[in-house]
Amino acid sequence: MIAIIGGGPGGLTLARVLHVHGIDAVVFERDASCRARTQGGMLDLHADTGQLALRTAGLESEFLAAARREGQDHRMLDHTGKLLFQQDTPDDAPMARPEIDRADLRDLLVDSLPAGAISWGRAFSHAEPRSAGGYVVHFTDGSLVEADLLVGADGANSRVRRLLTDAQPEYAGTIALQSSIHDADRTHPELAEMVGRGNFWVFGPDLRLSAQRHGDGSIGVSLSQQGPEDLVDERTDPARLVDGWDPRFGRLVQACDEPFVVRKIAVLPIGLTWPRRSGITLLGDAAHLMPPVGEGANAAMLDGAELALAIAAHPTDLDAAVAAYEPVMLARSTEAAKLSARALEMISGPDAAQKVLRFFQPDPVD
């Protein structure tokens, strides 16, 4: 059996592509059900990575039906309210990086799998190598399974990763306060109009405010700063951080109807590798956690698709499949992590607005 630990985009993509090729696998997910918790904000899936994975999974048309072309819009202002850059997406624009709600993507992948392919409420505890190869996998409820291949798709704080390397995520120097506004068009139409259909960024001297329209009508709001890990916490008043800014931005923060949560951006070392071991591998954030600037989920989904294709090419020799998969995945993810690190640096610091403007190379806005 192939045991996939973690039902995120990467693990589910792996299971789906294996299913397309007639290979059984089980995803073990700690959530009690698909609706056990919210799935977070939006994902922009790139044509050459996340969308390629969905094409490999035979789910391109379903994705395009659920994706939001207009989510590619960008508006960028400074803290005084001056518009610096605006990019609206034409109705006939290519779906190069459309947005999709994480929940919609998860539903799409879950619904594509046969009954029994996901075992809900199964939190990974530890695993022991079998003398005959593979692993005995233990779960926190006391149950266990025997796996010919154990795949760690269990995210940033992966427990499976500990079987391969001692590397752990490290704070990347950026911390954020995050919340949301529900039903924004009805409850705060003027703020919804200001944010627009896609991504909305405001750059201050030492703070970045970002907002993003979600497919369910809500707006995600984030306040990000560089500094030590204790720079802000749950007791921080988010509105105080935008004192002196254009008053509209204070109203946007105050309109949030969920408690602000603290998110510390963490990363794994770029270029992380591990000694190859029989019967086990990693994908996604478990293998290459990078800043959340649009590459991580795409990389995870392509990991899942490529690992499945390697297994389909070596169905009777899973170690050969892993040997074909890991070097390609590690080289590709190293480049994606470098790109993500550069993107985080670009949107950080007192000159972030100028750096982002140079990247987009827009015509000047009067």
Side-chain angles (χ1 to χ4, degrees):
M1 182 185 73
I2 298 172
I4 304 166
I5 308 301
L12 292 172
T13 300
L14 169 59
R16 166 62 185 182
V17 179
L18 287 174
H19 173 62
V20 167
H21 287 270
I23 300 170
D24 291 333
V26 178
V27 176
F28 294 92
E29 167 55 45
R30 65 181 179 179
D31 286 350
S33 70
C34 196
R35 295 286 181 267
R37 61 184 175 91
T38 59
Q39 294 300 301
M42 305 292 291
L43 293 171
D44 61 318
L45 294 193
H46 307 172
D48 58 347
T49 50
Q51 292 187 54
L52 174 58
L54 289 172
R55 288 194 293 275
T56 305
L59 297 172
E60 181 178 30
S61 61
E62 291 86 344
F63 164 72
L64 293 175
R68 297 178 58 248
R69 186 192 313 269
E70 67 275 14
Q72 300 171 106
D73 286 5
H74 288 90
R75 291 181 184 177
M76 184 174 126
L77 302 86
D78 69 16
H79 68 290
T80 71
K82 179 183 178 181
L83 180 66
L84 302 175
F85 172 62
Q86 180 165 334
Q87 185 178 66
D88 297 325
T89 307
D91 292 341
D92 60 350
M95 297 281 264
R97 294 190 175 193
E99 301 277 353
I100 186 170
D101 282 47
R102 287 177 181 268
D104 291 344
L105 178 62
R106 190 185 212 190
D107 287 348
L108 187 159
L109 289 164
V110 167
D111 291 346
S112 75
L113 294 173
I118 304 176
S119 182
W120 298 100
R122 304 288 290 281
F124 176 83
S125 170
H126 63 283
E128 303 160 345
R130 300 185 305 185
S131 59
Y135 282 79
V136 178
V137 184
H138 297 258
F139 299 92
T140 57
D141 62 3
S143 63
L144 58 84
V145 298
E146 296 198 15
D148 300 305
L149 177 63
L150 172 62
V151 181
D154 48 340
N157 298 310
S158 170
R159 291 189 171 188
V160 178
R161 182 173 59 230
R162 300 173 192 175
L163 297 168
L164 291 170
T165 173
D166 293 331
Q168 291 295 317
E170 297 181 352
Y171 178 56
T174 297
I175 191 166
L177 288 167
Q178 298 178 333
S179 184
S180 59
I181 305 170
H182 292 94
D183 197 11
D185 287 314
R186 182 182 64 81
T187 59
H188 298 281
E190 74 291 351
L191 297 178
E193 175 63 25
M194 177 181 72
V195 170
R197 307 183 303 174
N199 298 283
F200 179 80
W201 300 332
V202 183
F203 291 96
D206 59 358
L207 178 73
R208 182 178 76 255
L209 184 156
S210 58
Q212 186 179 44
R213 177 70 67 129
H214 296 173
D216 64 0
S218 66
I219 293 174
V221 177
S222 177
L223 296 163
S224 302
Q225 288 181 285
Q226 287 181 297
E229 293 185 67
D230 59 357
L231 182 64
V232 297
D233 59 29
E234 284 81 1
R235 297 167 297 178
T236 300
D237 178 3
R240 179 183 58 78
L241 298 177
V242 294
D243 276 351
W245 288 29
D246 183 296
R248 294 174 298 169
F249 307 142
R251 291 197 293 272
L252 181 68
V253 171
Q254 292 170 334
C256 291
D257 45 26
E258 292 281 350
F260 276 82
V261 297
V262 176
R263 184 177 184 190
K264 301 173 184 179
I265 305 305
V267 296
L268 284 167
I270 293 176
L272 175 67
T273 61
W274 50 83
R276 190 171 303 143
R277 292 187 182 172
S278 174
I280 185 171
T281 193
L282 305 173
L283 63 77
D285 286 350
H288 44 68
L289 179 65
M290 56 190 77
V293 292
E295 298 293 335
N298 283 280
M301 294 175 70
L302 190 55
D303 290 351
E306 290 184 347
L307 176 55
L309 292 177
I311 292 170
H314 304 275
T316 61
D317 190 345
L318 294 175
D319 284 345
V322 171
Y325 156 75
E326 283 190 346
V328 176
M329 177 272 290
L330 291 168
R332 172 174 48 78
S333 63
T334 294
E335 293 308 308
K338 290 177 180 177
L339 178 64
S340 296
R342 291 195 295 269
L344 182 62
E345 190 279 330
M346 180 179 67
I347 62 176
S348 303
D351 59 342
Q354 290 72 34
K355 291 184 291 187
V356 175
L357 282 172
R358 286 196 296 269
F359 174 79
F360 280 109
Q361 297 182 338
D363 295 328
V365 176
D366 296 327

